[in-house]
């Protein structure tokens, strides 16, 4: 109970609202305007669940993805778009007491529910963070792995988001994306488009794995070279 109170008190300054990709006049949020807008649609957030946890465990989804991502005890990892915490819980178990997990989402009500779960399951190595559509708001040089599972197609400002994510990686750190190779309107991200958008802000593709049991593919990215200036980012065409 004490941990639940602590977590919720820590979040109170953040739970007063949630950044949206557009303001009341239909304009892009101010903090994203120095970055180019994406030339593609953004999938609406229709649910915090891709499938049931029981169904995902039956096909060993999380264990297989974490194995492919080389997640080990003692690592510090982030779960972006954590939702109800399917990966958060399993990442916490994998990294162990010597590791840390930061679970992030842009919806305050989701963070509140996840805080309850973290307290109930006594996940003492998990912290929570409210992010924004154009900024994951992660601490600098802090993460060995950053997971983005079935949520990339919902990012409203991908160039700003990925550009601001990159400094959060430690040396050797990677970003892992699990998504479906299908149109964004069908709640997926075409693989060619994903690679293009990552490369546009200074990442390289490390590997691609077919993960149909996880809903599509697993793509691993790592920083390469310098980040381009926001106004020098070349916009990718939606295939």
């Amino acid at each position: 109970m004490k941990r639940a109170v602590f977590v919720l008190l820590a979040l109170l300054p953040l739970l007063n609202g949630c950044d949206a990709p557009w303001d009341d006049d239909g304009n892009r949020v101010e903090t994203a305007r120095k970055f180019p807008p994406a030339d593609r649609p953004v999938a609406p957030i229709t649910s915090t669940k891709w499938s049931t946890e029981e169904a995902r465990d039956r096909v060993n989804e999380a264990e297989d993805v974490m194995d492919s991502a080389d997640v080990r005890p003692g690592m510090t990892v982030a779960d972006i778009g954590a939702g109800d915490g399917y990966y958060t819980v399993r990442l916490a178990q994998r990294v162990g007491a010597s590791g840390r997990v930061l679970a992030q989402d842009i919806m305050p009500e989701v963070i509140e529910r996840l805080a309850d779960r973290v307290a109930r399951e006594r996940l003492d190595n998990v912290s929570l963070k409210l992010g924004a559509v154009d900024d994951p708001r992660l601490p600098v040089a802090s993460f060995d792995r950053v997971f983005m599972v079935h949520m990339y197609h919902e990012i409203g400002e991908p160039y700003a988001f990925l550009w601001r994510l990159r400094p959060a990686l430690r040396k050797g750190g990677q970003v892992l994306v699990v998504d479906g190779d299908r149109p964004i309107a069908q709640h997926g991200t075409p693989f060619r488009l994903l690679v293009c958008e990552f490369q546009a802000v200074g990442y390289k593709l490390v590997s691609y794995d077919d993960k149909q049991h996880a809903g599509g593919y697993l793509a691993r990215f790592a920083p390469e070279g310098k980040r381009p200036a926001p106004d020098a980012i070349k916009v990718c065409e939606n295939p």
Side-chain angles (χ1 to χ4, degrees):
M1 181 61 71
K2 289 183 179 179
R3 178 169 174 80
V5 172
F6 173 78
V7 171
L8 289 173
L9 285 175
L11 287 169
L12 283 177
L14 298 173
L15 297 179
N16 296 322
C18 179
D19 295 280
W22 313 104
D23 62 21
D24 292 338
D25 297 320
N27 300 311
R28 299 171 67 209
V29 292
E30 179 65 33
T31 53
R33 291 178 190 171
K34 65 179 181 180
F35 294 89
D39 182 25
R40 62 169 174 82
V42 179
I45 301 174
T46 56
S47 173
T48 57
K49 294 182 179 180
W50 174 71
S51 179
T52 67
E53 296 198 9
E54 293 78 8
R56 297 170 84 171
D57 280 344
R58 280 198 297 271
V59 296
N60 207 34
E61 177 190 332
E63 291 299 317
D64 180 56
V65 168
M66 289 188 296
D67 286 346
S68 295
D70 194 24
V71 177
R72 304 183 301 274
M75 280 186 166
T76 299
V77 301
D79 183 13
I80 305 298
D84 292 330
Y86 175 73
Y87 271 87
T88 297
V89 169
R90 289 152 183 81
L91 285 166
Q93 295 167 348
R94 175 66 71 96
V95 302
S98 61
R100 296 292 302 174
V101 177
L102 179 66
Q104 184 258 42
D105 208 283
I106 66 170
M107 301 173 67
E109 64 274 19
V110 170
I111 290 290
E112 290 186 81
R113 289 200 306 269
L114 187 51
D116 288 339
R117 180 174 187 179
V118 166
R120 184 172 63 252
E121 300 190 21
R122 300 182 181 276
L123 301 176
D124 294 330
N125 59 348
V126 174
S127 302
L128 304 174
K129 181 75 172 181
L130 186 69
V133 296
D134 63 334
D135 190 349
R137 296 174 174 167
L138 301 181
V140 172
S142 297
F143 298 96
D144 301 295
R145 299 289 185 269
V146 175
F147 282 78
M148 303 168 69
V149 181
H150 295 298
M151 57 76 63
Y152 186 81
H153 49 269
E154 297 171 352
I155 297 176
E157 295 287 350
Y159 298 111
F161 192 94
L162 294 176
W163 193 89
R164 289 169 172 149
L165 168 63
R166 196 176 123 156
L169 294 171
R170 290 174 172 170
K171 184 178 180 180
Q174 296 180 353
V175 181
L176 296 304
V177 178
V178 176
D179 214 334
D181 191 5
R182 55 182 177 268
I184 290 172
Q186 298 176 24
H187 285 268
T189 306
F191 180 66
R192 288 176 57 192
L193 177 62
L194 178 81
V195 173
C196 182
E197 290 186 347
F198 267 82
Q199 289 178 339
V201 292
Y203 295 83
K204 65 178 180 180
L205 177 67
V206 175
S207 66
Y208 167 93
D209 292 296
D210 183 26
K211 299 288 184 185
Q212 291 304 314
H213 62 290
Y217 57 75
L218 168 64
R220 303 170 68 180
F221 295 92
E224 182 176 51
K226 294 182 177 180
R227 287 187 302 174
D231 60 2
I233 293 172
K234 184 178 180 181
V235 176
C236 300
E237 294 184 2
N238 185 22

